[in-house]
């Protein structure tokens, strides 16, 4: 399972679901338990 987000919604989905639906809807991978990769979401603060 991978964790994906579009900045508003975060979901845990399969790689296949990401490839066929979520990717084209603008979601990006924030963590992948199969590859032990995690990204931290950036704060959307204006300075």
């Amino acid at each position: 399972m991978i964790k994906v987000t579009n900045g508003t919604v975060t979901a845990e989905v399969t790689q296949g679901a990401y490839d066929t639906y979520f990717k084209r809807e603008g979601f990006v991978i924030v963590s992948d338990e199969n590859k032990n990769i995690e990204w931290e979401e950036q704060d959307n603060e204006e300075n």
Side-chain angles (χ1 to χ4, degrees), residues 1-14 17-18 21-32 38-44:
M1 298 293 281
I2 59 175
K3 190 180 289 186
V4 297
T5 187
N6 66 0
T8 304
V9 176
T10 302
E12 196 165 326
V13 300
T14 64
Y18 172 73
Y21 178 76
F22 289 92
K23 186 175 183 178
R24 71 176 181 198
E25 295 297 320
F27 283 75
V28 295
I29 298 172
V30 292
S31 71
D32 184 343
E38 282 205 25
W39 291 270
E40 288 189 24
E41 293 182 44
Q42 296 178 351
D43 292 335
N44 292 328

